[in-house]
Amino acid sequence: MTVSKTASSCAALSLVAAIGLTLPPAPATAAEDPHISEIGYTLDTDFIEIAAEPGTDVSGWTVGSVTRGGSVQAAENITTVPAGTTVGEAGALAVEVPITNSVKSGNAADGSYGSSAFAIDDDGMLVDFEQVGGVTDGKGVTGKSNKNTPDAVVGEEASPTGATAAGGQSIQLIDGTWSSAAPTPDALPGDDGDDGGNSPVPEDVTPIADIQGTGDESPLQGETVRTRGIVTASYPSGGLNGYYVQTPGTGGAEDETPGASDGVFVYSPDTVADVSLGDHLELTGSVSEHYGQTQISVSNKGMTVLDEPAEAVKPIEDAFPDDASAREALEGMLLQPSGELTVADNYNTNAYGEVVLATGDGALPQPTEVARPGSAEAKAVEAENLKREVILDDGASVNYLENDKDTVVPYVSNDEPMRVGAQVTMTSPVVLGFDHEKWRFQPTTRLTGDNAEAIQPASFTDTRTDAPEDIGGQVSLASFNVLNYFTTTGDQLSGCDYYDDREGHPITVRGGCDARGAANAESLKRQETKIVTAISKLDASVVSLMEIENSAAFGDDRDDALETLVQRLSESAGEDKWDFVPSPATVPEDEDVIRTALIYQPAEVATQNDSTILDDQDAFSNAREPLSQAFAPKDESGELETDKTFVTISNHFKSKGSGSGEGNEDSGDGQGASNADRVKQATSLVKFAGKQQEAADSDFVYMLGDFNSYTQEDPMQVFYEAGFKDVAAEKTDKSTYVFKSRTGSLDHVLALDASGSGAQSKSRSEAQADVPSSAFDAITGADVWNINSVEALALEYSRFNYNAGDFYAPDQFRASDHDPVIVGLFEPEDEDGSDGAAASGEADVGAASDDGADAGANGADSDASASANSASDSSGSSTAAADGSTGSGASGSSDAAASDAGSHAGGDLPRTGTDPTLIMSIAAGLIIIGASIVHIVRRRKLGERS
């Protein structure tokens, strides 16, 4: 590196003019070693400043930024310093270069994923690598290779600055600490000796309400102010680097500044360690908006603790408003929220210590769960969702999975579970913050799992149950997603990449090989224990499985993994309680590495005929092929009741995360990608179901599994028009999945309702007269057992030892990311030979049940973002729930449903096509004729058994 005494380049001077600043005077002391001293990324012209001895020749240096993923995003994000460029007498040179905008957007912009700035000298040596945000002294972004990333950066780890810039400001290294202040390109930061800018200190005290103003942004942005307030919350650790202050005496029931807040955030890494809750402060600093929150940036010279007494601040005790302007008037103030609050999502709790809440009773419904996609009703649902959202935060910006693994993540507990759909009680005051487009309840100091007893500001109702609700019935059906259950573990294959725990031990397969589940036997054992516990307690006669290994992909018998799971289930039961449906002799030539399967309890049902796979490569080339098997129930003596033979079809449709071809792009109507393919799959499945119905000579047809479609979406309309009903939607108010804080059902049990529509219905013989007239009428009850989607992700086997908290438990909770649906079939017979319905005076005439017919379910988003450890084309990671909200009516049916999909029984009607008006119109007639029908049925049964 050559040192020259020539003047700095003209490019640097033009940058100063572009930003509109006056070049500050030269510093008294120049920098000793070259380093990055300032990063400006919220400005019209971005820059990275190099501090070095005046006259240092930086010709040929490479300066640029990498994304939060570690690579240079594009050629424009890197520049080579022109020949003849030297550092000026001020000891700093600002190099103009666009900084990747991943700093400015995304959920993790201020966490470990901030963009990073680098400088490489003309010899190709890395001079400095500084990360925007993150946690000081924590883990930084690692440089990743691509066509734009210099070799000197690849594999190197950036140093987190712990600082982010407010709008119009930069982050600057002052006295060894990074902070946000007015930009000073081509001058060493902090040389002016004031709060980071050149504005004079004002003589008058400006009330906080005047700083906040009555609009969305401060009317004093960019100005230096002097104000006073009492410290209500302080965050010396965790990355927020500041504290909240509020005007003395404000809060409570009185509001002397209507429309304007009396609280404000103070960004001050220099002073945050020196203040305590309750301190009365005088503050001088610059006003800015940081991700939508008004703040004052204060240096170590801008804070004074006042001795004069001040009236205490009182928390505002009221229901938290949905109105945006009402919330804006509370920004930065101390609150004790009352009124109803519900947990809406806990997926990000695992990483960021955040819990999404919804005002009012019930979680936030997925719009296409309760209304037709793209409809005005669906848009209204989402608009209401956005109004209701608020984040319960932890007073920190750390990522517990990346740079704070040894701190116990808050809010997650097996003893006191925090589940989607649970009611929330605020037990202590919080401060209302705003960040990344979300309102946030911040505790008054940083919360962790270790100090939760003293600091945690909320408690949650425990909504767990140890078993599903009683669904009645002689036998039962259920669907269960086993979350990539692979007995072929990663360590048995070559090329696998892994997700590791905090000690570097592999837990699950990340990629590089065909396995998708556990990394090794120890991890598989943890996964198996949860799955076996859940299925054992579900205790259904027949269970449809999704995401189980297709062992043929590894050169083994196709059923090897399935057989292993059945062995584990029987071992847990202490008897040969379970069996599996073997693969048919003919299977599709090109299958996925995951498949559908059916397991059952031989003591309760027996298979009829062989299993069959729907081999339609045109429809299912990108999904798992459906598997069909007919079963006959057994009575108490073990005799088969073949007149009750029922057909089950296990399904797993194409996911929403990707798609190609016409109609498969994400149109933005809420259905995600590959909607046209799922409609095609639904149409093919209806035809297949009709063939299986004929082969079994039975109207009792049930389609189970993960359809990757919410209840009102186009693929589901195909089923409704063909005469099928969504059992859980009709008979429960629960849902199976949560994604991006929206709750809904991707998993369904669909029952043929031929009696109401004539769809595929056959005439019944006298011998069949005592059984229900259709599959839907045979249902005795249904439940969605919320054990998975509503639970915190940290409890999953795949997150074992990711955090210092010990969250794994050998129970059923978070065995998967989807909740099972369970359905009871056929009223059991009493001792006198009559069935329960007839004996109790209920007429079995095939009328559609009105239990929950107009009930809505909450929506969760698509499975486009599968859980971080799930590489499958399944429904994703995240977390789903029960919330009990009611749904709005559908507005139309799918044009994609072909006419040969079956007869039209529903389509536009609420939830799954059941018309409540029709139900009510026949109710009176049923009551009148019920007693006589019961009498006839009872006499017929007694006569047959005599």
Side-chain angles (χ1 to χ4, degrees), residues 176-325:
T177 301
W178 288 87
S179 59
S180 175
T184 61
D186 292 313
L188 292 180
D191 287 335
D192 48 80
D194 62 13
D195 63 328
N198 296 304
S199 303
V201 176
E203 295 182 2
D204 297 330
V205 172
T206 301
I208 292 174
D210 291 350
I211 296 171
Q212 284 281 10
T214 57
D216 293 343
E217 298 182 347
S218 169
L220 303 180
Q221 281 189 78
E223 297 185 23
T224 298
V225 299
R226 184 158 65 101
T227 192
R228 292 183 175 185
I230 292 176
V231 178
T232 56
S234 178
Y235 311 101
S237 66
L240 294 186
N241 296 319
Y243 42 92
Y244 285 93
V245 296
Q246 187 168 328
T247 302
T250 58
E254 300 296 326
D255 184 3
E256 297 182 1
T257 58
S261 170
D262 295 301
V264 70
F265 182 70
V266 179
Y267 177 74
S268 185
D270 294 343
T271 68
V272 65
D274 300 323
V275 304
S276 300
L277 298 181
D279 281 353
H280 186 201
L281 307 180
E282 182 170 287
L283 303 161
T284 301
S286 59
V287 179
S288 63
E289 293 288 326
H290 182 69
Y291 291 105
Q293 176 175 256
T294 302
Q295 70 176 26
I296 306 172
S297 297
V298 174
S299 70
N300 56 358
K301 298 178 181 179
M303 186 274 290
T304 302
V305 179
L306 302 175
D307 294 331
E308 60 187 80
E311 185 180 352
V313 170
K314 298 176 286 294
I316 295 176
E317 300 183 20
D318 205 349
F320 187 61
D322 290 346
D323 180 72
S325 60

Side-chain angles (χ1 to χ4, degrees), residues 601-874:
Q601 298 188 41
E604 299 182 11
V605 296
T607 57
Q608 303 292 289
N609 303 324
D610 294 331
S611 64
T612 306
I613 292 179
L614 170 55
D615 190 359
D616 181 353
Q617 288 304 301
D618 179 57
F620 285 91
S621 61
N622 59 0
R624 281 62 51 179
E625 291 82 356
L627 170 69
S628 177
Q629 177 66 62
F631 294 91
K634 293 182 179 180
D635 64 19
E636 292 184 356
S637 65
E639 293 295 321
L640 286 181
E641 297 188 86
T642 56
D643 58 338
K644 295 180 181 177
T645 294
F646 58 91
V647 176
T648 60
I649 306 176
S650 179
N651 302 275
H652 191 178
F653 280 15
K654 174 69 177 79
S655 70
K656 296 172 176 283
S658 62
S660 60
E662 185 177 356
N664 287 320
E665 69 283 350
D666 188 342
S667 67
D669 66 355
Q671 299 188 93
S674 293
N675 185 58
D677 279 353
R678 286 190 296 277
V679 169
K680 184 188 295 185
Q681 288 158 15
T683 303
S684 178
L685 178 59
V686 167
K687 295 179 184 178
F688 179 67
K691 293 178 181 178
Q692 301 311 302
Q693 177 187 7
E694 292 177 3
D697 190 29
S698 171
D699 281 343
F700 304 130
V701 180
Y702 302 93
M703 302 188 295
L704 311 88
D706 178 2
F707 294 87
N708 272 314
S709 306
Y710 293 110
T711 303
Q712 290 300 333
E713 293 183 354
D714 293 343
M716 304 305 295
Q717 301 300 317
V718 175
F719 299 130
Y720 307 151
E721 292 170 3
F724 287 87
K725 286 185 176 179
D726 188 325
V727 177
E730 299 286 348
K731 293 184 174 292
T732 79
D733 57 3
K734 299 179 181 180
S735 300
T736 70
Y737 197 70
V738 174
F739 182 69
K740 290 188 176 179
S741 308
R742 304 296 182 261
T743 299
S745 288
L746 297 174
D747 310 85
H748 308 273
V749 174
L750 297 162
L752 187 62
D753 186 35
S755 64
S757 66
Q760 305 178 27
S761 178
K762 304 186 302 296
S763 62
R764 290 187 167 275
S765 67
E766 182 70 18
Q768 294 176 308
D770 294 333
V771 298
S773 58
S774 75
F776 186 78
D777 294 329
I779 293 168
T780 58
D783 188 31
V784 175
W785 192 24
N786 294 130
I787 56 172
N788 295 325
S789 65
V790 300
E791 294 281 354
L793 183 61
L795 276 56
E796 200 169 280
Y797 94 97
S798 63
R799 301 311 196 272
F800 178 80
N801 197 34
Y802 269 42
N803 181 264
D806 184 12
F807 300 125
Y808 177 82
D811 56 24
Q812 68 267 30
F813 300 112
R814 198 68 193 188
S816 179
D817 54 345
H818 294 242
D819 289 318
V821 182
I822 184 167
V823 174
L825 303 183
F826 309 120
E827 288 287 357
E829 294 183 345
D830 291 339
E831 292 182 1
D832 63 359
S834 63
D835 64 34
S840 62
E842 297 177 4
D844 183 10
V845 295
S849 167
D850 63 352
D851 291 343
D854 200 24
N858 292 334
D861 211 305
S862 82
D863 56 33
S865 70
S867 102
N869 294 358
S870 212
S872 75
D873 184 27
S874 69

Side-chain angles (χ1 to χ4, degrees), residues 297-389:
S297 297
V298 174
S299 70
N300 56 358
K301 298 178 181 179
M303 186 274 290
T304 302
V305 179
L306 302 175
D307 294 331
E308 60 187 80
E311 185 180 352
V313 170
K314 298 176 286 294
I316 295 176
E317 300 183 20
D318 205 349
F320 187 61
D322 290 346
D323 180 72
S325 60
R327 292 184 175 187
E328 189 72 39
L330 300 174
E331 181 187 275
M333 295 185 69
L334 195 66
L335 309 179
Q336 178 67 63
S338 60
E340 289 185 307
L341 292 167
T342 306
V343 176
D345 201 359
N346 52 19
Y347 185 83
N348 274 338
T349 311
N350 194 40
Y352 301 109
E354 302 174 347
V355 181
V356 181
L357 305 182
T359 59
D361 183 19
L364 302 172
Q366 163 66 30
T368 57
E369 176 70 17
V370 296
R372 291 287 285 129
S375 66
E377 293 85 354
K379 294 175 182 177
V381 169
E382 182 57 19
E384 184 67 14
N385 286 341
L386 294 173
K387 289 181 179 180
R388 295 177 60 201
E389 276 186 335

Side-chain angles (χ1 to χ4, degrees), residues 105-124:
S105 63
N107 293 335
D110 288 344
S112 65
Y113 297 102
S115 296
S116 302
F118 60 83
I120 302 169
D121 67 19
D122 57 343
D123 292 326

Side-chain angles (χ1 to χ4, degrees), residues 474-504:
Q474 179 182 356
V475 293
S476 56
L477 308 177
S479 66
F480 199 98
N481 185 306
V482 292
L483 190 62
N484 288 315
Y485 174 77
F486 275 61
T487 53
T488 303
T489 54
D491 59 357
Q492 299 175 29
L493 304 173
S494 60
C496 295
D497 299 322
Y498 300 102
Y499 290 99
D500 298 335
D501 69 7
R502 63 195 180 102
E503 297 173 353

